[in-house]
Amino acid sequence: MLFAAFVLACTSVAGQNIRGHYVSKADADGTIYHTLPVTLFENRREGDLTFDLTYKEGQQGRVTLNFTYRASQPVQADSVRFISGETVLAGPVSKFYIEPEKKLWKHRYSLQTDAALVRVFFDEETEPQAVVYSGGRPLVYDVKRSAWHSYAPVGRKIFEMIRLNEGR
């Protein structure tokens, strides 16, 4: 019985349909891939964190990770860390906007990171965190476990497809 459940789980991951989770567009400089926004993190007091990824071929393996988080106060973020096991996507952020939304503040930022790290970031065996920093003060968003376990194989497969299409 346990073996049958294991085989079923492996089959569902291997046969994971990723098409509804990204869009691609041919461009003169190469194909652009964009993952649709997904909410995988939350802070029970503050709100949730949603992100999307954009990759364009020929950009030295760099990915743009745009993220939106909600918080009780409007705070200027200076950096972020997305941590999944031993993999860390981190660096300074660029602000798009901060705006009020009901009782919270909606913050939209962007991070440039390495595509090879993004691919291994999506490890369903980990329990990632997103930590937004403002002047060294952390605002921690924990993973929504069931959402992560559903999405991690999708994210990994999307970035594996990109790697294979580039011939790396």
Side-chain angles (χ1 to χ4, degrees), residues 70-128:
R70 284 154 183 82
S72 58
Q73 298 296 317
V75 178
Q76 297 281 340
D78 48 53
S79 61
V80 69
R81 291 174 58 89
F82 287 86
I83 306 153
S84 175
E86 298 296 315
T87 305
V88 179
L89 310 175
V93 296
S94 301
K95 179 178 65 175
F96 289 123
Y97 61 82
I98 300 173
E99 64 185 24
E101 180 182 75
K102 298 181 183 179
K103 293 182 179 182
L104 297 174
W105 287 86
K106 185 176 176 181
H107 302 74
R108 180 82 169 155
Y109 285 87
S110 184
L111 167 73
Q112 296 293 313
T113 192
D114 186 316
L117 288 176
V118 171
R119 194 173 80 250
V120 296
F121 177 80
F122 291 110
D123 178 357
E124 65 187 288
E125 300 302 318
T126 64
E127 291 191 15

Side-chain angles (χ1 to χ4, degrees), residues 6-166:
F6 175 75
V7 170
L8 181 60
C10 289
T11 305
S12 68
V13 170
Q16 189 81 32
N17 183 359
I18 63 172
R19 196 64 177 136
H21 297 278
Y22 79 97
V23 294
S24 61
K25 179 183 176 190
D27 190 54
D29 300 345
T31 303
I32 300 171
Y33 298 90
H34 180 74
T35 65
L36 301 179
V38 62
T39 304
L40 299 177
F41 299 94
E42 67 184 347
N43 178 304
R44 294 196 190 279
R45 287 186 329 223
E46 301 289 341
D48 59 24
L49 185 145
T50 300
F51 70 91
D52 57 87
L53 300 153
T54 303
Y55 180 82
K56 184 174 182 181
E57 291 177 343
Q59 299 295 310
Q60 290 79 37
R62 302 299 289 168
V63 173
T64 301
L65 188 159
N66 294 323
F67 62 100
T68 302
Y69 67 95
R70 284 154 183 82
S72 58
Q73 298 296 317
V75 178
Q76 297 281 340
D78 48 53
S79 61
V80 69
R81 291 174 58 89
F82 287 86
I83 306 153
S84 175
E86 298 296 315
T87 305
V88 179
L89 310 175
V93 296
S94 301
K95 179 178 65 175
F96 289 123
Y97 61 82
I98 300 173
E99 64 185 24
E101 180 182 75
K102 298 181 183 179
K103 293 182 179 182
L104 297 174
W105 287 86
K106 185 176 176 181
H107 302 74
R108 180 82 169 155
Y109 285 87
S110 184
L111 167 73
Q112 296 293 313
T113 192
D114 186 316
L117 288 176
V118 171
R119 194 173 80 250
V120 296
F121 177 80
F122 291 110
D123 178 357
E124 65 187 288
E125 300 302 318
T126 64
E127 291 191 15
Q129 276 190 333
V131 184
V132 179
Y133 293 93
S134 176
R137 298 185 68 207
L139 182 55
V140 178
Y141 291 82
D142 294 313
V143 73
K144 295 179 177 184
R145 288 185 187 114
S146 63
W148 177 255
H149 290 294
S150 295
Y151 188 81
V154 171
R156 182 177 290 257
K157 197 170 211 180
I158 289 170
F159 277 85
E160 180 66 11
M161 172 194 66
I162 290 169
R163 185 187 68 79
L164 292 169
N165 284 335
E166 280 199 319

